[in-house]
Amino acid sequence: MPLLEVKNLQVRVEEREILHGLSLTVNEGEVHAIMGPNGSGKSTLSHVIAGKPGYEVTGGEILFKGEDLLAMSPDERAAKGVFLAFQYPVEIPGVATMTFLRTALNAQRKARGEPELSTPDFLKKVRSVAASLNIPQEMLRRGVNVGFSGGEKKRNEVLQMALFEPSICILDEMDSGLDIDALRIAADGVNALRSQGRAMVVITHYQRLLNYIVPDYVHVMSKGRVVKSGGKDLALELEESGYAQFEDQAA
Amino acid sequence: MPAELETVERVRRIDVDQYRYGFETIIESDKAPKGLSEDTVRFISAKKNEPAWMLEWRLEAFRRWQTMQEPEWARVSYPKIDYQDVYYYSAPKKKPELASLDEVDPEILKTYEKLGIPLREQEVLAGVVRPEGERRVAVDAVFDSVSVATTFQKELKEAGVIFMPISQAIREHPELVQKYLGTVVPTSDNFFATLNSAVFSDGSFVYLPPGVRCPMELSTYFRINERNTGQFERTLIIADKGAYVSYLEGCTAPQRDENQLHAAVVELVAHDDAEIKYSTVQNWYPGNSEGKGGVYNFVTKRGDCRGKNSKISWTQVETGSAITWKYPSCILRGDNSRGEFYSIAISNGFQQVDSGTKMIHLGKNTTSRIISKGIAAGKSQNTYRGLVSAHRKATGARNFTACDSLLIGDKCGAHTVPYVEAKNSSALFEHEATTSKISEDVLFYCVQRGLSQEEAVGLVVNGFVKDVLQQLPMEFAVEAQKLISISLEGSVG
Amino acid sequence: MNVALVKPTSDRASGESFAAARSRLPGSGVVSEVREAAFAEFSKRGLPHRRVEEWKYTDLRVMLREVAPLAVNPDEAALNRAAAAVASLDVTDTCKLVLVDGSFAPHLSDVASLEAGVRLHTLREILETADNSTRADLLRTNATSDVMVALNAAMATDGVVLGVDNGVALKRPIHIVHIATQSNAASFTRSLIKIGEGAQVTLVESFVAAPDAKSYQVHDALVSWAGDGANVHHVRLVEDARDASNISTAIVTLGAKTQFNSFSLTSGSALSRYQAFVRFGGEEAVANINGVNLLKDRQHGDTTLVLDHMVPHCDSREVFRAVVDDRAHSVFQGRINVHPDAQKTDAKMMTRALLLSDEAEADNKPELEIFADDVQCGHGATTGALDDSLLFYLRARGLPEKEAQALLIQAFVGEAMESIADEQLRETAVATAARWLATRG
């Protein structure tokens, strides 16, 4: 059974259809890259998988581990192992990062019927993950993402990814706003998780990110559909020839 | 000469007591007897050859006014007004409606010349070709209470725009006037609006048919000239579906010893997808350096965003009047409608300003924006008073308000009184206000670079009000900038 | 018949209640004269209503309708019920001074453990025994002409009168506990606290109900003076019964170089109005006045602050948060008055309301009245619902909706609670908010 199956997905925002029948299958341990120009519907796909309100699914389905993902609330999806690394992680003033991590982790464990993590265990785990990602303890005491740089916000996303141990990670434009060093640190964090057999869907506009997170499969999206799929070479091909060639195909 | 230097130059030349516009035009006038009674109302109505329904409307307002109390909630104080000691009607004795400029009393034309009103009809008549792309302004000049010259009538007529004195509209377009007059500001609205309803003399009427974009900016200059004459302008602007108009109102008045009463009413109606932009520059006589004289300005201005996607924008530069009592407001009734209020209010000498806006959110997804800049100098009092409210059904209402006050000198006062009322959880309101003085460091920096103290103040003030000035049409922005500097003359010790 | 002479029912009832109470009010001679004058003032103006600007959003003629009959002195049974209420207080490590139904209850109070340098009297005791000039002053205040303060002067039965000597640093908070045991009755209390120069004091006020006390009215006034260089922490917790009314006034005068740190949390009572008049009387004083209203059902909570900067070089900061659920109504009015001599005033006020339900209502009226030019003053006000993008982020991380909301609400009120210096009191406030959140439907 595939881990994630998106079948003929049609999605509207207000009156406008954004996805016109998109299909995608991801198996355990696979890394898929979804590339496409701005406005092709990449972020919409990530939002719909995570359950962001404001999108109307008018057709198709999404199965996760064989279950109907669309019937679940966003927090149920998280507990099942769906993790969305946000393109623009929000700032939450007044909620300390540490409190947030612990509340979220225990909410997920509770939803799965697992016992809460003891404070020492939790602290030990956060500290070791934080250290590997170069995240200072001081950052964890601040409000979630409050006053964080772009790189720090992305590292905080990877920290959560490592902590919550999801089955699939959707990385939405993880490279946006990052310089090369920040990108490398974040990508190293992702690669460490990948080696543990986790599936990834890497959404990106540029090929650059895929130098660091090398995909097994590449899909090209245009105008709300997947117009071409292939191996990692497809990304390089795109880098040279651009997206223009796919615009007509989608129409 | 750069604009700022020119401004400063002007400031040097002009003293508070030598009010630039303080001259008097000597012409005979046709006055109603002093005082207010049903007879005064009948006199005014008769003078205007009004139909019976209009007289009835006025009389009803007058009867109601007699039962009303003068409001006292504003932070303004003035000696009790004796409403029986005021002339309610005064018109130049020449016949009020003229076919061309030649027929206008030369004295009046001279007055306008001194004011620098762009009465460009002369140029048009003389065949002057204006550079392409230069914006044109149609002027409906109001001299005391009667419109004496209307320009660009022909071109407006071709576009289908009705732009005429309201007295004429009452006779020529009674169906439109009856349909809209008093629907935004009811005759019972407030003491001053009700008084206006009873005795209004004249004002402008604008109607834009569906889909019409007014080909030029409409402008009216008001002058108060006659001694002891109350000015009771009534303006009604209707933008039908998809129409657009930008209306400019400028006011100057000559110097007087006695206080002069002004109680205008402006009503705006914007239907679906229509937009009205209303700009005011008000520089009536503020009184002399001892606080004597000056205009009492009690104005009711309100816009009704009646249709969906409609928009009404008020921009005001208030530098004149001894007392300003004025709250241009928007009723955001139509879904997705938008209201804006941009204000510069400057008080110097003994001026008292109590001004602001009301944004009443009734429809869904309505938005409003308030930018208010108050500058208090001398011994003046400057108050921003505003209301933002979202009603139960106004889902998605949005407001942003920024009120900044600047104090120049330690004898003046700046006050901020906002009311923020939300009855809908999806309403998102943000209000911020600051009060401060001009930074000594900035002044010193400017002075060190060779500017005089007054030039430096002018520079800082112009920066402070920039956001609002940008909202004014070009012709007004320059005049307003000059006015601001003139108004602050003598404020730096 | 002259219609104008017929008073509204509510005022007539109040007049009758004063007449009925008169004989039971402590003090005679000058005290009685002050009471009569204060009541005459109240009779003339009546309960404040929406046309009185300061009460625009809290119309007592509609909401309170009338002043309830004066509560009787608590009997043995009432004191026993009050004792139960004292026992269930969250805040434990304090020196408690308990007022039951408007009467000081020595046996429930920690009089014996008062620290050295603190002098305690009761209002009743002074009104009945001290010399004429002292007693009358206790009921007078020229800090406000508010009519409810006048009513309080007319009717006050008891309260604590405290003096803290110069330079005394108290180890334990002084805790005035107001307990209502009687239903449909009104208590009127007035406490006066004089804090000496350089003294350090934490003052806590709690308003609670004994089990089964319903529909009562609390009318309280707190008058305090902080001497030069004093350091005062003030925490008030209003947890009255859900159908009670609480009309409280604080009148605070700050000396030079004082540090005044005040926090008010209202989660109880159907109708509450807390009005604080804070006057800067000496230079270089700093005041932080913060508050949180947690309102649900049909609760109406009004916080009204008036700050008078009379002298130069003082700072004031206000942070106010309201969480409004169901059909509740929050009111915040805050006025900063900067008087002509108060140059170099630095005053900032921020009020935010969070609306959790479509029928919730929040009115904010922050005001600046500035008569001095060399100042930095500002205020901000926001009203809105919980941020959807934050909610989604939390839910995407596995938090169920209610938990995600609760976390954001706690952060929202937390900003105002951070200022509580005493850890025990801060934790109590946080716990109260958590409890409130837990009971949300």
Side-chain angles (χ1 to χ4, degrees):
Chain A
M1 179 176 64
L3 183 64
L4 177 74
E5 268 186 291
V6 180
K7 295 182 186 169
N8 194 28
L9 188 68
Q10 285 155 284
V11 174
R12 274 169 186 271
V13 175
E14 284 165 5
E15 299 300 298
R16 209 159 59 92
E17 191 168 280
I18 308 283
L19 300 182
H20 318 286
L22 182 141
S23 297
L24 178 72
T25 301
V26 179
N27 293 304
E28 270 176 46
E30 292 176 354
V31 175
H32 292 244
I34 296 183
M35 302 186 69
N38 291 330
S40 57
K42 305 189 298 288
S43 285
T44 297
L45 175 63
S46 72
H47 290 159
V48 172
I49 292 173
K52 187 171 181 168
Y55 296 89
E56 191 195 348
V57 176
T58 51
E61 58 178 345
I62 304 179
L63 299 179
F64 183 67
K65 297 177 182 169
E67 289 182 79
D68 180 4
L69 196 67
L70 294 174
M72 299 179 206
S73 66
D75 44 305
E76 284 169 344
R77 298 181 203 201
K80 290 275 180 203
V82 176
F83 183 93
L84 171 64
F86 286 66
Q87 182 180 2
Y88 303 109
V90 295
E91 298 189 7
I92 315 180
V95 178
T97 305
M98 217 50 161
T99 311
F100 162 74
L101 295 175
R102 195 166 164 197
T103 312
L105 181 64
N106 282 331
Q108 291 193 24
R109 292 178 70 96
K110 192 174 155 195
R112 290 192 293 261
E114 298 164 11
E116 293 194 353
L117 221 52
S118 73
T119 307
D121 287 350
F122 168 76
L123 288 175
K124 215 165 101 187
K125 194 165 176 175
V126 172
R127 285 200 184 115
S128 80
V129 176
S132 70
L133 286 163
N134 238 339
I135 294 174
Q137 289 298 303
E138 181 271 330
M139 229 171 92
L140 300 178
R141 282 192 289 271
R142 280 192 268 163
V144 178
N145 292 325
V146 177
F148 286 20
S149 70
E152 286 172 331
K153 283 182 183 169
K154 293 295 164 77
R155 267 185 278 155
N156 191 12
E157 293 291 282
V158 179
L159 167 77
Q160 293 171 43
M161 211 186 291
L163 201 60
F164 301 154
E165 300 173 334
S167 315
I168 191 166
C169 304
I170 320 284
L171 313 182
D172 190 2
E173 306 274 6
M174 203 184 77
D175 50 337
S176 69
L178 293 194
D179 63 32
I180 209 77
D181 292 329
L183 177 59
R184 188 174 293 129
I185 295 171
D188 287 349
V190 172
N191 284 328
L193 296 170
R194 176 184 183 182
S195 61
Q196 294 161 23
R198 218 152 266 135
M200 307 265 171
V201 175
V202 183
I203 292 173
T204 182
H205 184 92
Y206 301 104
Q207 193 267 339
R208 182 179 80 152
L209 176 65
L210 304 181
N211 291 334
Y212 298 94
I213 305 171
V214 182
D216 303 310
Y217 303 95
V218 174
H219 310 276
V220 181
M221 263 186 86
S222 181
K223 296 182 179 168
R225 288 192 180 88
V226 171
V227 289
K228 188 164 185 184
S229 298
K232 64 184 171 200
D233 296 340
L234 180 56
L236 295 168
E237 193 183 307
L238 270 172
E239 179 81 353
E240 278 182 22
S241 52
Y243 292 115
Q245 54 174 317
F246 299 108
E247 302 279 311
D248 298 337
Q249 272 175 261
Chain B
M1 207 188 312
E4 298 94 70
L5 288 185
E6 195 187 332
T7 302
V8 172
E9 200 48 41
R10 207 178 281 272
V11 170
R12 281 219 190 88
R13 287 201 304 266
I14 295 163
D15 184 79
V16 171
D17 280 358
Q18 295 169 331
Y19 179 63
R20 181 180 168 209
Y21 305 129
F23 42 79
E24 187 179 332
T25 314
I26 300 149
I27 46 166
E28 283 183 83
S29 64
D30 182 3
K31 279 181 191 166
K34 215 180 208 183
L36 184 51
S37 64
E38 283 205 11
D39 288 343
T40 320
V41 177
R42 287 177 198 282
F43 176 91
I44 295 167
S45 189
K47 275 280 170 193
K48 300 274 167 194
N49 295 320
E50 285 178 354
W53 61 264
M54 196 63 237
L55 174 63
E56 250 334 290
W57 197 83
R58 285 176 181 274
L59 287 171
E60 198 188 305
F62 174 71
R63 284 168 201 141
R64 187 179 277 273
W65 180 76
Q66 287 177 303
T67 68
M68 293 169 92
Q69 299 284 321
E70 202 169 323
E72 288 174 348
W73 43 261
R75 178 182 269 285
V76 290
S77 59
Y78 50 92
K80 195 115 190 82
I81 296 169
D82 182 353
Y83 290 91
Q84 295 306 332
D85 194 32
V86 174
Y87 288 103
Y88 287 86
Y89 182 79
S90 141
K93 235 178 182 174
K94 290 277 182 181
K95 53 177 176 171
E97 281 172 48
L98 306 170
S100 79
L101 274 184
D102 297 339
E103 294 175 48
V104 176
D105 190 316
E107 281 287 324
I108 293 177
L109 287 180
K110 254 188 236 166
T111 306
Y112 283 128
E113 237 173 80
K114 284 190 234 172
L115 279 168
I117 294 173
L119 204 66
R120 293 181 185 152
E121 178 100 298
Q122 293 167 37
E123 293 175 331
V124 173
L125 291 172
V128 176
V129 182
R130 304 200 62 81
E132 207 172 326
E134 183 169 327
R135 279 205 274 182
R136 289 168 304 162
V137 181
V139 179
D140 176 16
V142 174
F143 195 83
D144 277 331
S145 309
V146 178
S147 284
V148 290
T150 302
T151 54
F152 289 104
Q153 277 288 13
K154 193 163 160 264
E155 195 173 338
L156 290 171
K157 207 170 177 180
E158 276 165 12
V161 178
I162 303 174
F163 177 37
M164 57 175 59
I166 199 163
S167 54
Q168 190 184 341
I170 288 166
R171 293 191 302 271
E172 294 178 14
H173 300 282
E175 72 299 335
L176 282 175
V177 176
Q178 272 184 294
K179 184 172 172 191
Y180 291 104
L181 188 70
T183 61
V184 185
V185 179
T187 51
S188 58
D189 194 76
N190 69 72
F191 183 82
F192 297 110
T194 305
L195 175 62
N196 174 287
S197 299
V199 301
F200 74 85
S201 40
D202 216 332
S204 296
F205 175 82
V206 182
Y207 173 78
L208 295 113
V212 171
R213 207 182 153 82
C214 191
M216 66 193 70
E217 265 149 9
L218 303 181
S219 167
T220 302
Y221 275 78
F222 299 96
R223 292 261 289 141
I224 301 175
N225 197 44
E226 200 66 22
R227 200 176 287 268
N228 276 341
T229 302
Q231 277 272 297
F232 303 97
E233 304 293 341
R234 185 100 195 179
T235 297
L236 177 57
I237 302 177
I238 302 125
D240 218 319
K241 289 178 181 176
Y244 167 84
V245 64
S246 169
Y247 185 93
L248 289 64
E249 169 199 73
C251 328
T252 56
Q255 182 164 351
R256 286 292 178 205
D257 276 334
E258 292 94 335
N259 295 306
Q260 291 176 302
L261 175 64
H262 185 97
V265 171
V266 175
E267 295 179 276
L268 311 181
V269 178
H271 287 288
D272 291 0
D273 306 300
E275 179 176 349
I276 302 174
K277 194 171 156 62
Y278 193 104
S279 311
T280 306
V281 174
Q282 186 266 110
N283 61 333
W284 277 323
Y285 182 51
N288 70 7
S289 56
E290 267 88 53
K292 197 154 180 269
V295 169
Y296 290 0
N297 191 20
F298 298 99
V299 189
T300 305
K301 291 186 169 180
R302 195 173 301 150
D304 188 356
C305 284
R306 210 165 275 184
K308 63 179 166 53
N309 307 319
S310 57
K311 180 179 169 185
I312 287 177
S313 176
W314 298 99
T315 304
Q316 62 174 26
V317 178
E318 301 283 326
T319 68
S321 296
I323 290 169
T324 302
W325 183 101
K326 184 183 172 193
Y327 315 91
S329 304
C330 296
I331 301 165
L332 303 167
R333 201 185 303 276
D335 290 351
N336 306 314
S337 61
R338 178 172 175 83
E340 294 175 341
F341 176 74
Y342 298 99
S343 170
I344 299 170
I346 299 181
S347 55
N348 198 354
F350 285 86
Q351 282 177 278
Q352 303 175 64
V353 179
D354 197 299
S355 183
T357 184
K358 291 181 187 178
M359 293 291 173
I360 317 282
H361 292 259
L362 301 174
K364 291 181 173 44
N365 300 317
T366 50
T367 55
S368 62
R369 183 178 171 84
I370 299 170
I371 308 288
S372 166
K373 305 281 182 180
I375 300 162
K379 293 176 176 164
S380 67
Q381 298 297 328
N382 200 323
T383 303
Y384 168 83
R385 190 181 300 278
L387 166 70
V388 176
S389 76
H391 285 243
R392 200 62 86 206
K393 288 175 182 163
T395 51
R398 295 282 179 275
N399 166 268
F400 175 77
T401 300
C403 297
D404 297 313
S405 301
L406 200 60
L407 290 148
I408 303 176
D410 59 2
K411 301 283 187 291
C412 51
H415 318 295
T416 314
V417 190
Y419 298 78
V420 187
E421 305 177 356
K423 287 190 172 71
N424 189 293
S425 70
S426 62
L428 186 61
F429 289 168
E430 287 178 76
H431 167 100
E432 55 188 51
T434 64
T435 304
S436 53
K437 70 181 280 189
I438 293 183
S439 154
E440 299 282 3
D441 295 344
V442 171
L443 284 185
F444 178 71
Y445 184 86
C446 294
V447 172
Q448 207 283 321
R449 293 291 180 267
L451 273 72
S452 74
Q453 193 81 1
E454 288 203 330
E455 285 169 319
V457 169
L459 205 68
V460 174
V461 168
N462 272 319
F464 179 71
V465 300
K466 200 181 76 203
D467 294 352
V468 175
L469 277 184
Q470 281 169 349
Q471 299 297 327
L472 283 174
M474 192 58 93
E475 297 90 328
F476 264 28
V478 177
E479 189 184 334
Q481 201 172 8
K482 289 177 187 169
L483 267 176
I484 289 165
S485 299
I486 291 169
S487 314
L488 289 171
E489 149 71 15
S491 61
V492 192
Chain C
M1 172 182 141
N2 193 339
V3 183
L5 286 177
V6 178
K7 287 182 170 241
T9 335
S10 59
D11 295 347
R12 209 172 52 228
S14 299
E16 283 161 8
S17 86
F18 181 68
R22 196 176 278 152
S23 61
R24 290 163 44 211
L25 296 171
S28 57
V30 179
V31 171
S32 297
E33 285 165 28
V34 171
R35 287 191 192 280
E36 294 288 345
F39 193 78
E41 181 66 21
F42 174 77
S43 307
K44 194 172 85 196
R45 288 153 70 189
L47 283 171
H49 50 92
R50 66 193 165 85
R51 298 211 179 275
V52 176
E53 182 63 22
E54 292 77 10
W55 292 84
K56 179 179 166 63
Y57 297 112
T58 301
D59 187 330
L60 290 189
R61 291 200 183 169
V62 173
M63 296 177 190
L64 196 65
R65 298 178 65 85
E66 59 185 26
V67 177
L70 187 66
V72 297
N73 287 344
D75 56 15
E76 194 66 29
L79 289 172
N80 284 339
R81 286 166 62 218
V86 171
S88 62
L89 284 171
D90 289 328
V91 185
T92 49
D93 190 17
T94 55
C95 177
K96 280 182 274 296
L97 303 172
V98 181
L99 296 160
V100 179
D101 299 329
S103 293
F104 185 68
H107 300 300
L108 298 178
S109 302
D110 304 324
V111 181
S113 67
L114 272 173
E115 294 176 53
V118 180
R119 287 160 288 115
L120 170 71
H121 298 277
T122 65
L123 182 73
R124 181 185 295 270
E125 168 193 343
I126 296 181
L127 291 178
E128 284 175 344
T129 62
D131 71 74
N132 282 349
S133 61
T134 312
R135 339 186 241 168
D137 280 349
L138 297 188
L139 296 179
R140 285 196 187 111
T141 165
N142 56 9
T144 171
S145 60
D146 187 86
V147 70
M148 295 310 282
V149 177
L151 177 67
N152 180 278
M155 304 283 281
T157 50
D158 210 344
V160 300
V161 181
L162 279 168
V164 179
D165 292 346
N166 291 351
V168 170
L170 295 184
K171 291 180 193 67
R172 283 207 307 166
I174 289 176
H175 190 176
I176 303 176
V177 184
H178 297 260
I179 297 172
T181 72
Q182 295 166 41
S183 299
N184 305 307
S187 68
F188 290 85
T189 46
R190 173 171 293 217
S191 294
L192 300 100
I193 299 176
K194 194 156 190 173
I195 296 160
E197 290 174 13
Q200 292 178 35
V201 175
T202 298
L203 175 69
V204 186
E205 296 178 274
S206 287
F207 295 85
V208 294
D212 304 328
K214 283 193 176 64
S215 303
Y216 59 87
Q217 293 178 5
V218 175
H219 297 264
D220 181 52
L222 172 72
V223 186
S224 73
W225 298 266
D228 293 355
N231 191 329
V232 182
H233 288 271
H234 173 222
V235 173
R236 59 193 301 277
L237 304 163
V238 178
E239 295 177 276
D240 277 306
R242 296 303 291 275
D243 49 7
S245 302
N246 185 316
I247 312 291
S248 295
T249 305
I251 296 167
V252 180
T253 307
L254 302 177
K257 296 189 166 127
T258 51
Q259 301 273 332
F260 178 60
N261 193 331
S262 175
F263 175 83
S264 176
L265 174 65
T266 299
S267 57
S269 78
L271 163 67
S272 64
R273 158 92 165 194
Y274 173 50
Q275 44 184 13
F277 301 87
V278 179
R279 186 182 167 95
F280 289 84
E283 297 188 15
E284 291 178 52
V286 176
N288 282 284
I289 302 164
N290 301 338
V292 171
N293 280 357
L294 301 169
L295 306 171
K296 58 185 167 188
D297 303 329
R298 283 169 160 273
Q299 278 181 289
H300 178 103
D302 176 339
T303 300
T304 296
L305 306 178
V306 179
L307 278 84
D308 279 293
H309 282 266
M310 313 298 296
V311 295
H313 294 287
C314 292
D315 294 356
S316 59
R317 292 284 179 280
E318 293 78 42
V319 176
F320 180 78
R321 297 281 183 273
V323 182
V324 198
D325 204 354
D326 305 324
R327 301 179 69 177
H329 184 177
S330 168
V331 177
F332 175 81
Q333 306 183 107
R335 193 161 84 222
I336 299 172
N337 294 322
V338 178
H339 294 258
D341 292 331
Q343 297 291 0
K344 305 281 180 196
T345 291
D346 185 337
K348 303 262 182 312
M349 179 178 281
M350 184 68 211
T351 165
R352 295 176 64 190
L354 185 59
L355 302 181
L356 298 176
S357 121
D358 277 342
E359 289 178 299
E361 187 173 340
D363 296 317
N364 277 315
K365 187 184 166 207
E367 273 182 86
L368 295 170
E369 292 252 342
I370 318 282
F371 289 96
D373 64 330
D374 192 3
V375 299
Q376 288 291 333
C377 298
H379 64 224
T382 67
T383 308
L386 284 171
D387 186 327
D388 282 336
S389 64
L390 300 191
L391 272 178
F392 174 63
Y393 187 84
L394 293 175
R395 297 197 67 196
R397 292 294 174 263
L399 269 66
E401 192 171 7
K402 285 281 168 197
E403 253 182 85
Q405 287 181 355
L407 194 63
L408 292 177
I409 295 166
Q410 269 172 318
F412 177 81
V413 299
E415 280 178 80
M417 293 181 175
E418 274 168 20
S419 63
I420 307 172
D422 184 296
E423 201 175 329
Q424 179 199 190
L425 295 171
R426 189 173 60 246
E427 277 169 13
T428 302
V430 171
T432 305
R435 256 202 322 271
W436 186 86
L437 287 169
T439 60
R440 274 188 71 212

